[in-house]
Amino acid sequence: MHAKRNDKIATVFIYIFVAIVICILAGILGEILITGLPHLSWHFLSSSASSFQAGGGVRDQLFNSVYLLILTIAISLPIALGAAIYLSEYAKDNWITNTIRTSIEILSSLPSIVVGLFGYLLFVIQFNLGFSIISGALALTFFNLPILTSNIEQALEGVPQSQREAGQALGLSNWKTIRGIVLPAALPGILTGIVLSAGRVFGEAAALIYTAGQSGSTIDYSNWNAFSPTSFLNVMRPAETLAVHIWKVNTEGIIPDATIVSAATSALLVIVVIIFNFGARALGNMLYRKLTASNTK
Amino acid sequence: MDDLKKEPTYIKTFSSDELALSTKNLSVLYGGTIQKLFNVSLGFKKNAITALIGASGSGKSTFLRSLNRMNDKVATVKGNIIFHGLDVNKPNINVYELRKNIGMVFQKPNPFPKSIRENITYTLKADGQKDKQKLDQIVEESLRAAALWDEVKDKLDKSALALSGGQQQRLCIARAIALKPEILLLDEPASALDPVSTAKLEDTLKQLRSRYTMVMVTHNMQQASRISEYTAFFHLGHVLEYDVTSNVFTNPKGRITEKYIQGSFG
Amino acid sequence: MSEKNDDLKKVVNQALAEQKVPHVKLDKMKPSTVDIDKLTKPSKETHQEYWGKGLTFLAIILIILLVVSIIGFVGEHGLATFFSDHVNIIHFLTSTNWDPTQGENHVGALAMIVTSFLVTLISALIAAPFAIAVALFMTEYSSKRSAKFLQSVTELLVGIPSVVYGFLGLTIIVPTIRNVFGGTGFGILAATLVLFVMVLPTITSLTVDALKAVPTELRNSSAALGATRWQTIYHVILRASTSRILTAIIFGMARAFGEALAVQMVIGNAVLMPYNLVSPSATLTSQLTSQMGNTVMGTLPNNALWSLALLLLLMSLLFNFLVHLIGKKGKK
């Protein structure tokens, strides 16, 4: 009879624990969205931040976040793709491969503040790039590389071995087989991996405060000359992102509406993460269906 | 093992101008220690179908995959594989060119997730064939040769994955012969197919027999006797018997072969 | 025996009779003559192979170079404190006197080390039972649909930026602690609670993976022996997945130990030995975050901060090593 009683007690405990966790999760999401959404107006998204008074927006921070994200993906994707292809297609099972895998694991487990400080040391100081978008993008690349590499590797390993054999048996080189057959077949998984890692990059702040900087310069959105200091495209200008903005207005900010601004920005970040998360899955499913459907062109 | 030594064996030989491909003392080792194949020497006659039979794990698939060097990455293959007087089991051999001459069709149909047309043209384009008319011609001819043309001629640009298993397998054959190989290696090509598709596939193979040398691994004794001229019986990595198919099936020399064949016909 | 042989012969002969070649349509497909020369010469494919292997290996080299240079650079600057500024390493690890602007006898990191470990351990220890309960619920109790729902919420929570957690801590947890315990509300308790929420989804999703890896046959055979659900969970499922659950907890601890901004926002940032849970304190990461910008490169205060960074790096190597160790043991 003990067994039955214990079973009941355990079940009750598990349900209580789960209920508590669900309350916490619902509380977090609710709090962010309920306090943030009402302040998330077009005015908030389209006006620049203010340094002293209330009523500032996050236009520049939003643009910087997106710009940094694009640059980061553009730099990290080719490297991650190469590394993932090597690991899943070429690497033999030996100590060299083990060393490579361990290095990637180490990189992925490094605290992002350490990665950011390394970026600060190397790019901001050593290469004299200063607090700039490019320094930030490179630091984010380091932060993004391991996770993106392993996401892509997983997608590649999901492609059946028989596809590779088909290519090889037809006298194609491995490289041609990978490029023409394995990569397209893995595309849904790869895109899902990219979008998921994009969500992480978009919200990252610790790696940025000492690389892309904690303040923005005046930006002119009509200046398309990427070498002009005021151009929005200039990669040498310092840039504060949404996540860094939240941190800054809360720790050293002097604006009176810091809570409102942070709440709205947090809601914005969370919404973007939600979009990325669901978008990744939807995109993956759609592409997968398209790839295997009967009526593809 | 002692049983094996006492077992009478018979390996048929051909004169060298009859041969399309032959092996000499071919041994395969996995991981450097586990030997799957022991000194197999077989010759395959031109424009004939040779069946490789034997229980699972007897080494017949391992042997077949070694012939076009598909085992390079996973195992050590020792011995000689003679193709047009050249030992193609040497490191200096260009395996890509070799595989264009010795095509392979696998157990499970593995068309690319592309259109039917692209499945055939993809390798040709990679090979440098750009002429659209020429490509169309090869597509039609190879699909005709694989007896698939009539079924797919109106949907060449549809995904190959929408075809039935049997059609997919014949597409894989078409894809292989589009490269104009001399030899086709077939690794249990019908094991994943239903009886009707199997019959169609066998018809296709019979039609191709006049032009191609085919080596086929099969579990199905009926199939081996239906379409092959020669049969080799593999047992625990050794070839015990290799002869004209009717001899192997009705007049086996050794007891192991006899037992296996009787058991398999059921 | 002979009867059977006769039957066999009949079957075989019939099959052989079917071997007649059907009428072959005149098609032009036939083998091309083999160009023997081509077989021994490198072709386009050979070159493609060199390129492909080379290019992808280059990417690997880049990543390895990166890892080596991170360790190298941080190590060089972090060790400068001890080699060029002559701070005693024992003193660094055991003294609570942290005021590097006052010279090499005031570089003691113990307070931050202790605080970092304290917040990490407490948050992971509270989170672990919750995470395991939720994971058990998702794999053993709930329907597939609600498990899927919980899973996507968990994934979402892993993805929420840490500054958002920090901000929530600042607006909800800190004021609550202030009202209940008095004081400022900033401190280890606030940091622990924030980290608890942050590592909970991490540990949960890894634990779910661990539980899912337990073969269903084990569950079935245990149930077939008349075990209750809890007996099955306790004696079979948790036993079988212990090492992977431990790994999940270590991953959670690694995340907590390395988290910078969320902690820095709620801990109060005063380098003091923690004497209770509700007074301001500082972790390695929070100190780095708030002070790096206030020091000059190459000076002792700056090098001292790099030593903290080096400690962080070594700890993450240690966590990594532990994961490997447990993984190896689990396999045995």
Side-chain angles (χ1 to χ4, degrees), chain A residues 14-24:
Chain A
I14 286 181
Y15 275 85
I16 292 175
F17 272 61
V18 171
I20 294 174
V21 171
I22 289 180
C23 286
I24 296 174

Side-chain angles (χ1 to χ4, degrees), chain A residues 237-257:
Chain A
R237 65 182 170 84
E240 183 194 34
T241 64
L242 289 172
V244 174
H245 191 58
I246 297 178
W247 176 73
K248 209 182 143 212
V249 296
N250 278 298
T251 48
E252 34 196 271
I254 14 186
I255 48 171
D257 58 347

Side-chain angles (χ1 to χ4, degrees), chain A residues 183-207:
Chain A
L183 271 187
L187 200 61
I190 293 177
L191 279 175
T192 311
I194 294 174
V195 178
L196 283 179
S197 77
R200 250 168 56 103
V201 168
F202 199 78
E204 177 55 32

